[in-house]
Amino acid sequence: FQDGSLVRNTAVTLSEVLMGLLAGTCSAVLLGYSVAKSRAFERFASPFLVASQAMPVVAIAPLLVIWFGQGIFSKVLICSLIVFFPVLVNTVVGLRAVPHSLNELMHSLRASRWQILRMLETPAALPVFLGGLQIGATLSVIGAVVGEFVGSDKGLGFLINVGRGQFDTALVFVAVGTLIGMALSLYGIVIFLEHRLLAWRDKN
């Protein structure tokens, strides 16, 4: 705190985490909706999705840093990849959990595609989706640190590398403690959103 290095490096890691979480979540929701609505697209995309998860992010992180440089983009990309799959799976599961009878009811009322999405599918899938987002929020912190371990001159992962090289255990503990606090904060934010967005369930 005295020289400001902890605040600066925390801000770098947090920005990587937030951008990676946003990018991974948005892409997972868009692709998850397509998979949930089209069996043909699911058969086409499933092998690629499973193959992407068969490759550990830790193993391909060095390649991503080499290809895209040591800047923030490679760290955001690693975060997005590690967030993507759990959010995708929960999006698909949530959308497919919508009762078929309710879909038929909406069609009988001549609801548009947008109305069905907004009034039926989104509220029905939201509990499962938020469960995936809770996992993704914590995993995004791991993604940022993995990227910083591989190649970075700033961020909490960089501080851990510095502390390890200098045998400065206090620095390592401070950086790890800050990462834990960041993960808990993101998890708590998702829990708060869940309580706010799903308040209608408690009224029923």
Side-chain angles (χ1 to χ4, degrees), residues 56 64 93 127:
L64 297 176
V93 171

Side-chain angles (χ1 to χ4, degrees), residues 20-36 41 49 53 79-93 95 129 132-133 136:
L21 181 60
L22 178 63
T25 300
C26 291
S27 57
V29 169
L30 292 175
L31 188 60
Y33 185 83
S34 301
V35 170
F41 182 74
L49 295 174
Q53 290 306 299
C79 284
S80 301
L81 290 175
I82 206 169
V83 166
F84 177 80
F85 197 72
V87 177
L88 171 73
V89 170
N90 281 47
T91 300
V92 173
V93 171
L95 288 170
F129 165 76
L133 190 59

Side-chain angles (χ1 to χ4, degrees), residues 144-171:
V145 174
V146 168
E148 291 170 355
F149 275 169
V150 173
S152 180
D153 58 356
K154 50 192 173 183
L156 293 173
F158 168 73
L159 282 187
I160 293 174
N161 273 336
V162 171
R164 181 181 59 186
Q166 298 176 350
F167 297 97
D168 188 348
T169 55
L171 179 59

